[in-house]
Amino acid sequence: RHSVHVVIGGYKEEEKGAAFGIESYLFDLGLTNADIFWYRRINELEPLSPSINGPCGIRMHERLLLPNLGRDAAAFLDHVLEVYQNPPKMLVYLHGHAAIGWHTSCAAVFGRTAYYYR
C-alpha cells in the first residue's frame, strides 16, 4: 500500500479528461508511489476504467460512487471509510475540475502538496 493517496471528487465527464489518464496533470505533482483515486458519480452503466500506471510508481484508479449525493464530500467520506483501519500517511483531496477555479490555482495545489510531501 502506498503512503500517499490523492482523492478526486469528480463529477462531470469533461472533468475526467483533465484528471484521469496518462496525460493527467496529477502526475506532475511528483508524488512518488502515490495512489490517485478518481471518484466518478455519473454514467453508472459505463464500466470502470482500468488502473493506469504513471511515472515514478504512481497508480491511478477509478471508483464509482452512486447515488450522486453529497458532491465532493461524499467521495472524500467514502475514501476515508475505505482506508480508516489503515490510512495512508498523507491524503490529498481535490475537486474534479482540476486545480483551476475561482477558489484555487495550480501553484497553490502543487506548492502545498509538495510542502507536506517532504
Side-chain angles (χ1 to χ4, degrees), residues 35-57:
D35 276 309
I36 300 171
F37 298 91
W38 168 267
Y39 277 81
R40 174 167 49 95
R41 297 177 286 154
I42 57 173
N43 302 333
E44 65 272 6
L45 299 178
E46 179 185 327
L48 291 173
S49 300
S51 292
I52 296 171
N53 292 316
C56 303

mmCIF file of all heavy atoms in Angstrom, residues 35-57:
data_model
loop_
_atom_site.group_PDB
_atom_site.id
_atom_site.type_symbol
_atom_site.label_atom_id
_atom_site.label_comp_id
_atom_site.label_asym_id
_atom_site.label_seq_id
_atom_site.Cartn_x
_atom_site.Cartn_y
_atom_site.Cartn_z
ATOM 1 N N ASP A 35 -1.052 6.743 -4.868
ATOM 2 C CA ASP A 35 -2.269 6.197 -5.467
ATOM 3 C C ASP A 35 -3.230 7.355 -5.668
ATOM 4 O O ASP A 35 -3.504 8.115 -4.731
ATOM 5 C CB ASP A 35 -2.925 5.155 -4.558
ATOM 6 C CG ASP A 35 -2.310 3.782 -4.716
ATOM 7 O OD1 ASP A 35 -2.200 3.320 -5.870
ATOM 8 O OD2 ASP A 35 -1.940 3.179 -3.699
ATOM 9 N N ILE A 36 -3.747 7.487 -6.875
ATOM 10 C CA ILE A 36 -4.707 8.530 -7.198
ATOM 11 C C ILE A 36 -6.048 7.868 -7.439
ATOM 12 O O ILE A 36 -6.146 6.922 -8.223
ATOM 13 C CB ILE A 36 -4.265 9.331 -8.442
ATOM 14 C CG1 ILE A 36 -2.908 9.991 -8.184
ATOM 15 C CG2 ILE A 36 -5.319 10.364 -8.820
ATOM 16 C CD1 ILE A 36 -2.284 10.611 -9.414
ATOM 17 N N PHE A 37 -7.080 8.349 -6.761
ATOM 18 C CA PHE A 37 -8.424 7.777 -6.876
ATOM 19 C C PHE A 37 -9.362 8.829 -7.454
ATOM 20 O O PHE A 37 -9.575 9.882 -6.849
ATOM 21 C CB PHE A 37 -8.934 7.317 -5.508
ATOM 22 C CG PHE A 37 -8.092 6.233 -4.914
ATOM 23 C CD1 PHE A 37 -7.022 6.542 -4.098
ATOM 24 C CD2 PHE A 37 -8.369 4.905 -5.181
ATOM 25 C CE1 PHE A 37 -6.229 5.550 -3.543
ATOM 26 C CE2 PHE A 37 -7.586 3.900 -4.636
ATOM 27 C CZ PHE A 37 -6.514 4.229 -3.817
ATOM 28 N N TRP A 38 -9.928 8.523 -8.613
ATOM 29 C CA TRP A 38 -10.900 9.398 -9.279
ATOM 30 C C TRP A 38 -12.284 8.828 -8.992
ATOM 31 O O TRP A 38 -12.593 7.699 -9.360
ATOM 32 C CB TRP A 38 -10.642 9.424 -10.782
ATOM 33 C CG TRP A 38 -11.744 10.061 -11.545
ATOM 34 C CD1 TRP A 38 -12.815 9.418 -12.106
ATOM 35 C CD2 TRP A 38 -11.931 11.443 -11.803
ATOM 36 N NE1 TRP A 38 -13.641 10.323 -12.706
ATOM 37 C CE2 TRP A 38 -13.117 11.574 -12.536
ATOM 38 C CE3 TRP A 38 -11.205 12.586 -11.488
ATOM 39 C CZ2 TRP A 38 -13.595 12.812 -12.953
ATOM 40 C CZ3 TRP A 38 -11.682 13.793 -11.920
ATOM 41 C CH2 TRP A 38 -12.847 13.901 -12.638
ATOM 42 N N TYR A 39 -13.124 9.591 -8.305
ATOM 43 C CA TYR A 39 -14.480 9.156 -7.995
ATOM 44 C C TYR A 39 -15.442 9.697 -9.042
ATOM 45 O O TYR A 39 -15.660 10.901 -9.134
ATOM 46 C CB TYR A 39 -14.900 9.627 -6.605
ATOM 47 C CG TYR A 39 -14.406 8.712 -5.512
ATOM 48 C CD1 TYR A 39 -13.110 8.791 -5.042
ATOM 49 C CD2 TYR A 39 -15.241 7.744 -4.976
ATOM 50 C CE1 TYR A 39 -12.648 7.944 -4.056
ATOM 51 C CE2 TYR A 39 -14.805 6.890 -3.985
ATOM 52 C CZ TYR A 39 -13.501 6.999 -3.526
ATOM 53 O OH TYR A 39 -13.052 6.149 -2.545
ATOM 54 N N ARG A 40 -15.994 8.784 -9.832
ATOM 55 C CA ARG A 40 -16.980 9.148 -10.853
ATOM 56 C C ARG A 40 -18.364 8.942 -10.263
ATOM 57 O O ARG A 40 -18.656 7.913 -9.666
ATOM 58 C CB ARG A 40 -16.797 8.264 -12.095
ATOM 59 C CG ARG A 40 -17.879 8.479 -13.126
ATOM 60 C CD ARG A 40 -17.529 7.846 -14.454
ATOM 61 N NE ARG A 40 -17.090 6.478 -14.417
ATOM 62 C CZ ARG A 40 -17.880 5.422 -14.605
ATOM 63 N NH1 ARG A 40 -19.170 5.570 -14.814
ATOM 64 N NH2 ARG A 40 -17.371 4.203 -14.576
ATOM 65 N N ARG A 41 -19.246 9.926 -10.455
ATOM 66 C CA ARG A 41 -20.585 9.854 -9.876
ATOM 67 C C ARG A 41 -21.670 9.965 -10.935
ATOM 68 O O ARG A 41 -22.789 10.340 -10.626
ATOM 69 C CB ARG A 41 -20.740 10.929 -8.816
ATOM 70 C CG ARG A 41 -19.770 10.697 -7.673
ATOM 71 C CD ARG A 41 -19.838 11.759 -6.639
ATOM 72 N NE ARG A 41 -19.197 12.954 -7.175
ATOM 73 C CZ ARG A 41 -19.504 14.176 -6.750
ATOM 74 N NH1 ARG A 41 -20.410 14.365 -5.860
ATOM 75 N NH2 ARG A 41 -18.880 15.202 -7.260
ATOM 76 N N ILE A 42 -21.342 9.652 -12.168
ATOM 77 C CA ILE A 42 -22.320 9.666 -13.259
ATOM 78 C C ILE A 42 -22.062 8.449 -14.150
ATOM 79 O O ILE A 42 -21.057 7.759 -13.989
ATOM 80 C CB ILE A 42 -22.217 10.959 -14.106
ATOM 81 C CG1 ILE A 42 -20.802 11.123 -14.674
ATOM 82 C CG2 ILE A 42 -22.618 12.178 -13.293
ATOM 83 C CD1 ILE A 42 -20.660 12.265 -15.650
ATOM 84 N N ASN A 43 -23.001 8.191 -15.069
ATOM 85 C CA ASN A 43 -22.855 7.105 -16.054
ATOM 86 C C ASN A 43 -22.587 5.753 -15.389
ATOM 87 O O ASN A 43 -21.588 5.102 -15.664
ATOM 88 C CB ASN A 43 -21.755 7.423 -17.061
ATOM 89 C CG ASN A 43 -21.988 8.706 -17.807
ATOM 90 O OD1 ASN A 43 -23.131 9.132 -17.973
ATOM 91 N ND2 ASN A 43 -20.926 9.344 -18.246
ATOM 92 N N GLU A 44 -23.518 5.337 -14.534
ATOM 93 C CA GLU A 44 -23.306 4.110 -13.773
ATOM 94 C C GLU A 44 -23.198 2.857 -14.637
ATOM 95 O O GLU A 44 -22.659 1.849 -14.198
ATOM 96 C CB GLU A 44 -24.408 3.918 -12.720
ATOM 97 C CG GLU A 44 -25.788 3.714 -13.291
ATOM 98 C CD GLU A 44 -26.548 5.000 -13.542
ATOM 99 O OE1 GLU A 44 -25.985 6.092 -13.393
ATOM 100 O OE2 GLU A 44 -27.728 4.898 -13.897
ATOM 101 N N LEU A 45 -23.686 2.894 -15.870
ATOM 102 C CA LEU A 45 -23.609 1.728 -16.748
ATOM 103 C C LEU A 45 -22.264 1.627 -17.474
ATOM 104 O O LEU A 45 -21.922 0.580 -18.015
ATOM 105 C CB LEU A 45 -24.748 1.751 -17.765
ATOM 106 C CG LEU A 45 -26.153 1.713 -17.154
ATOM 107 C CD1 LEU A 45 -27.215 1.781 -18.240
ATOM 108 C CD2 LEU A 45 -26.339 0.476 -16.291
ATOM 109 N N GLU A 46 -21.508 2.690 -17.476
ATOM 110 C CA GLU A 46 -20.189 2.666 -18.105
ATOM 111 C C GLU A 46 -19.222 1.899 -17.213
ATOM 112 O O GLU A 46 -19.136 2.145 -16.013
ATOM 113 C CB GLU A 46 -19.683 4.099 -18.297
ATOM 114 C CG GLU A 46 -18.311 4.193 -18.909
ATOM 115 C CD GLU A 46 -17.804 5.629 -18.963
ATOM 116 O OE1 GLU A 46 -18.623 6.546 -19.133
ATOM 117 O OE2 GLU A 46 -16.582 5.811 -18.830
ATOM 118 N N PRO A 47 -18.490 0.937 -17.788
ATOM 119 C CA PRO A 47 -17.538 0.186 -16.958
ATOM 120 C C PRO A 47 -16.435 1.092 -16.413
ATOM 121 O O PRO A 47 -16.106 2.115 -17.010
ATOM 122 C CB PRO A 47 -16.950 -0.849 -17.916
ATOM 123 C CG PRO A 47 -17.593 -0.648 -19.233
ATOM 124 C CD PRO A 47 -18.504 0.529 -19.164
ATOM 125 N N LEU A 48 -15.892 0.701 -15.285
ATOM 126 C CA LEU A 48 -14.778 1.449 -14.705
ATOM 127 C C LEU A 48 -13.565 1.345 -15.613
ATOM 128 O O LEU A 48 -13.303 0.304 -16.215
ATOM 129 C CB LEU A 48 -14.420 0.902 -13.331
ATOM 130 C CG LEU A 48 -15.449 1.129 -12.227
ATOM 131 C CD1 LEU A 48 -15.037 0.393 -10.967
ATOM 132 C CD2 LEU A 48 -15.620 2.604 -11.951
ATOM 133 N N SER A 49 -12.820 2.428 -15.709
ATOM 134 C CA SER A 49 -11.580 2.414 -16.470
ATOM 135 C C SER A 49 -10.558 1.558 -15.740
ATOM 136 O O SER A 49 -10.532 1.525 -14.504
ATOM 137 C CB SER A 49 -11.029 3.830 -16.613
ATOM 138 O OG SER A 49 -11.949 4.665 -17.277
ATOM 139 N N PRO A 50 -9.694 0.865 -16.482
ATOM 140 C CA PRO A 50 -8.644 0.096 -15.797
ATOM 141 C C PRO A 50 -7.658 1.040 -15.115
ATOM 142 O O PRO A 50 -7.507 2.194 -15.507
ATOM 143 C CB PRO A 50 -7.964 -0.679 -16.939
ATOM 144 C CG PRO A 50 -8.331 0.046 -18.188
ATOM 145 C CD PRO A 50 -9.631 0.756 -17.934
ATOM 146 N N SER A 51 -6.998 0.540 -14.086
ATOM 147 C CA SER A 51 -5.987 1.345 -13.399
ATOM 148 C C SER A 51 -4.865 1.680 -14.376
ATOM 149 O O SER A 51 -4.566 0.921 -15.288
ATOM 150 C CB SER A 51 -5.435 0.595 -12.193
ATOM 151 O OG SER A 51 -6.436 0.462 -11.213
ATOM 152 N N ILE A 52 -4.259 2.830 -14.173
ATOM 153 C CA ILE A 52 -3.201 3.322 -15.048
ATOM 154 C C ILE A 52 -1.912 3.421 -14.249
ATOM 155 O O ILE A 52 -1.904 3.943 -13.130
ATOM 156 C CB ILE A 52 -3.576 4.715 -15.600
ATOM 157 C CG1 ILE A 52 -4.813 4.620 -16.469
ATOM 158 C CG2 ILE A 52 -2.413 5.318 -16.369
ATOM 159 C CD1 ILE A 52 -5.363 5.974 -16.875
ATOM 160 N N ASN A 53 -0.830 2.912 -14.817
ATOM 161 C CA ASN A 53 0.493 3.072 -14.224
ATOM 162 C C ASN A 53 1.128 4.312 -14.804
ATOM 163 O O ASN A 53 1.324 4.409 -16.010
ATOM 164 C CB ASN A 53 1.378 1.861 -14.520
ATOM 165 C CG ASN A 53 0.895 0.629 -13.810
ATOM 166 O OD1 ASN A 53 0.538 0.683 -12.647
ATOM 167 N ND2 ASN A 53 0.870 -0.485 -14.510
ATOM 168 N N GLY A 54 1.432 5.273 -13.943
ATOM 169 C CA GLY A 54 2.068 6.503 -14.381
ATOM 170 C C GLY A 54 3.548 6.503 -14.060
ATOM 171 O O GLY A 54 4.105 5.492 -13.621
ATOM 172 N N PRO A 55 4.198 7.622 -14.249
ATOM 173 C CA PRO A 55 5.626 7.720 -13.935
ATOM 174 C C PRO A 55 5.872 7.639 -12.432
ATOM 175 O O PRO A 55 4.984 7.898 -11.626
ATOM 176 C CB PRO A 55 6.009 9.101 -14.480
ATOM 177 C CG PRO A 55 4.740 9.870 -14.513
ATOM 178 C CD PRO A 55 3.648 8.877 -14.759
ATOM 179 N N CYS A 56 7.060 7.263 -12.061
ATOM 180 C CA CYS A 56 7.516 7.254 -10.659
ATOM 181 C C CYS A 56 6.663 6.365 -9.762
ATOM 182 O O CYS A 56 6.479 6.665 -8.578
ATOM 183 C CB CYS A 56 7.561 8.669 -10.104
ATOM 184 S SG CYS A 56 8.596 9.783 -11.042
ATOM 185 N N GLY A 57 6.095 5.300 -10.296
ATOM 186 C CA GLY A 57 5.317 4.373 -9.486
ATOM 187 C C GLY A 57 3.924 4.849 -9.114
ATOM 188 O O GLY A 57 3.251 4.244 -8.288
#
